[in-house]
Amino acid sequence: MRQQISNYDLMLNHIPIRCDNMSAISLSKNPIMHSRTKHIEIRHHFLRDHVQKGDCVLEFVDTNNQLADIFTKPLPKESFFTIRRELGLIDQSDLDS
């Protein structure tokens, strides 16, 4: 991620990743293996390792404010328009008027 961001001449010490799952955030911060996480393969601990190194920071975002939902699930019309506006996307009808 850091390399991709540096290609756009942006320098960030900690890349923010916004997540609406408190369990995932807790797992990334706790280096101790719990009995419930034994089944998770080593390759899935990639994010946790980068959080511990300080390369990225997981931030909690309420489900209602999760902008990634527009790319991952069908949304009601109101939510779709709200997220689209927050992302800075415009509708073709806005250009015509």
Side-chain angles (χ1 to χ4, degrees):
M1 286 187 279
R2 185 174 294 190
Q3 179 63 39
Q4 184 68 30
I5 290 175
S6 67
N7 290 341
Y8 295 106
D9 294 327
L10 297 172
M11 300 307 278
L12 294 174
N13 293 329
H14 307 289
I15 297 171
I17 299 176
R18 295 183 174 95
C19 180
D20 62 353
N21 186 335
M22 287 300 292
S23 296
I25 294 171
S26 297
L27 276 174
S28 71
K29 293 179 181 178
N30 191 352
I32 299 171
M33 289 292 290
H34 296 284
S35 62
R36 295 182 195 167
T37 61
K38 284 195 301 191
H39 68 282
I40 300 174
E41 295 180 27
I42 299 291
R43 62 190 172 115
H44 294 118
H45 293 286
F46 174 81
L47 183 61
R48 186 179 74 182
D49 292 341
H50 281 283
V51 168
Q52 289 176 356
K53 286 187 220 173
D55 294 339
C56 61
V57 177
L58 290 179
E59 300 173 352
F60 178 75
V61 175
D62 184 31
T63 303
N64 298 327
N65 297 320
Q66 184 64 272
L67 298 180
D69 284 351
I70 198 169
F71 303 112
T72 59
K73 61 177 93 168
L75 296 171
K77 189 183 273 189
E78 300 80 26
S79 298
F80 177 80
F81 290 140
T82 302
I83 292 173
R84 187 180 67 181
R85 185 174 44 254
E86 289 181 23
L87 288 173
L89 302 175
I90 57 174
D91 193 292
Q92 182 64 32
S93 62
D94 295 338
L95 297 174
D96 295 337
S97 46

